[in-house]
Amino acid sequence: MANRPSGGTFVGLDIGTATIKAVEVKGAGSNLQVTALGIADTPPGTIQQGLVSDAKTLGAAIKSLLTKSGIRPGRCVSAASGNAGVVVRVIEVPKMTPKDLAETMKWEIERHIPFAANDVEMGYQKIDDPQSDADPNNPNMEVLLAVAQRDMVAEHLKTLEAASLQPFSIDVEPLAIGRALLDLDNTGLGSRNVAVVNIGAANTDVGIYKAGTLRFPRAVPIAGDNFTRNIADHLGLNMDQAEEEKRQYAAVLMDVLESAQAAPPDDPFGDNNFGASPFDAVGVPPANPFDAAPVPPANPFDSPTVPPTNPFEAPPANPFGEPVAANPFAAPAGGNPFDTAPGEV
């Protein structure tokens, strides 16, 4: 789907909604060496719904990041993403010759993209599956399809030009992730079934890989910004403050999640509780599900080891570190300007 570097020095670039990541890599094949890397905030307003809206400003920010990180501009391998401009799908079509497939794909893309089919850049590749291909009773085959809006690609190229980079290849994120995590892995992951969850600022990409081949890609519009926004609303902070709180004090309360998994199958979230968080405790006032208040015994999320007066009160010992006499969820003295309990975040 994308050109593979034959060797030399390349710049790898990932332009996200919130951050820009850059890396300088030397070598070829599995003999690669990272010689420099850097990360910087994406200038506000330069990415809108996953699409570049100000290539000049964004390019200048990338160029500044390269300079500060000691990365020399040169040949660049970058990744394109965004639900508004990129579609990656595994589709099923009848078994056919490569020549017939090329003709079929001209019409097939219209069924799978939300934008005009005559204004896109498209790549596709038949997925090799020995078991399926050899089955005479299976009339179909699977094809990996990647489609990007031509305007999106043009703005992406303008951004690279503004950053003094030479575009060598533009990949799509699910495939780029597979190359980085599976193709180069030496522990055997490339031959197994693997799920990769990439949580960004605006979207979460989920990819299921079979023997290193992407078989099920999906983008979910719930990601880091949603968590930050909920923290901001709950604690009365602005987004920058909430982001700081999330990075410093966020914790996954595993006992709550484990209790949720053991909930009754009929309706663990309450009758008609549409729109509520699936982790909200039934019967807990919606204003603050983490309030220290008595919880009715019927709550399927109650942990049997938690005193009924406060489901989030600390146990006698801290299971995550050294024993702590006080509540381990209490904010450290002088360490949190907003006096927020980490367990609450």
Side-chain angles (χ1 to χ4, degrees), residues 222 227 256-257 259-261 263 267-270 273-282 289 299-301:
I222 300 175
F227 304 139
V256 177
L257 296 179
S259 298
Q261 293 176 352
D267 185 10
F269 305 134
N273 190 20
F274 305 116
S277 166
F279 300 107
D280 284 345
V282 178
N299 185 349
F301 297 100

Side-chain angles (χ1 to χ4, degrees), residues 17-292:
T17 304
T19 57
I20 306 165
K21 284 77 68 177
V23 61
E24 183 181 80
V25 178
K26 292 182 179 179
S30 59
N31 186 25
L32 298 174
Q33 180 183 6
V34 175
T35 54
L37 55 85
I39 185 171
D41 292 337
T42 302
T46 56
I47 301 288
Q48 300 287 344
Q49 297 183 339
L51 303 178
V52 176
S53 58
D54 188 343
K56 185 176 180 180
T57 301
L58 183 57
I62 295 172
K63 191 171 185 178
S64 175
L65 169 62
L66 298 181
T67 300
K68 293 178 181 178
S69 304
I71 300 175
R72 290 168 293 182
R75 292 178 295 176
C76 177
V77 177
S78 56
S81 63
N83 291 340
V86 179
V87 173
V88 181
R89 288 285 185 272
V90 174
I91 65 175
E92 195 172 64
V93 299
K95 291 180 179 178
M96 63 185 73
T97 65
K99 181 179 179 180
D100 290 337
L101 180 61
E103 187 64 29
T104 298
M105 294 307 295
K106 296 178 182 178
W107 309 104
E108 192 70 27
I109 62 173
E110 295 182 359
R111 300 173 49 200
H112 300 279
I113 61 174
F115 29 81
N118 60 352
D119 192 28
V120 300
E121 301 290 348
M122 176 185 69
Y124 65 90
Q125 182 174 316
K126 176 185 175 299
I127 295 176
D128 293 325
D129 188 333
Q131 182 177 359
S132 176
D133 294 343
D135 184 359
N137 297 318
N138 183 6
N140 298 324
M141 63 183 186
E142 289 184 317
V143 176
L144 178 60
L145 171 68
V147 182
Q149 281 185 298
R150 192 163 289 143
D151 288 346
M152 188 220 73
V153 176
E155 291 301 312
H156 191 97
L157 291 173
K158 287 180 182 177
T159 301
L160 299 182
E161 181 181 0
S164 299
L165 291 169
Q166 304 166 20
F168 177 84
S169 177
I170 300 178
D171 210 340
V172 290
E173 280 198 352
L175 297 180
I177 290 173
R179 299 185 211 283
L181 298 182
L182 304 179
D183 287 4
L184 300 178
D185 177 75
N186 58 6
T187 65
L189 280 179
S191 62
R192 300 169 59 186
N193 295 335
V194 179
V196 177
V197 180
N198 176 28
I199 304 176
N203 292 291
T204 296
D205 292 317
V206 180
I208 309 298
Y209 301 79
K210 180 180 180 181
T213 300
L214 180 65
R215 303 302 293 268
F216 182 85
R218 282 295 181 270
V220 182
I222 300 175
D225 285 348
N226 297 85
F227 304 139
T228 304
R229 191 171 295 109
N230 275 277
I231 293 171
D233 293 344
H234 177 70
L235 301 179
L237 307 175
N238 62 40
M239 287 292 286
D240 289 339
Q241 293 170 333
E243 180 69 19
E244 180 181 347
E245 291 290 283
K246 182 180 73 175
R247 293 180 182 230
Q248 292 292 328
Y249 303 106
V252 178
L253 304 180
M254 294 305 298
D255 55 340
V256 177
L257 296 179
E258 290 168 0
S259 298
Q261 293 176 352
D266 52 356
D267 185 10
F269 305 134
D271 295 333
N272 301 322
N273 190 20
F274 305 116
S277 166
F279 300 107
D280 284 345
V282 178
V284 176
N288 184 356
F290 298 102
D291 278 344

Side-chain angles (χ1 to χ4, degrees), residues 303-334:
S303 170
T305 61
V306 179
T309 57
N310 184 355
F312 294 99
E313 186 175 339
N318 183 355
F320 304 109
E322 298 180 358
V324 179
N327 187 341
F329 294 137

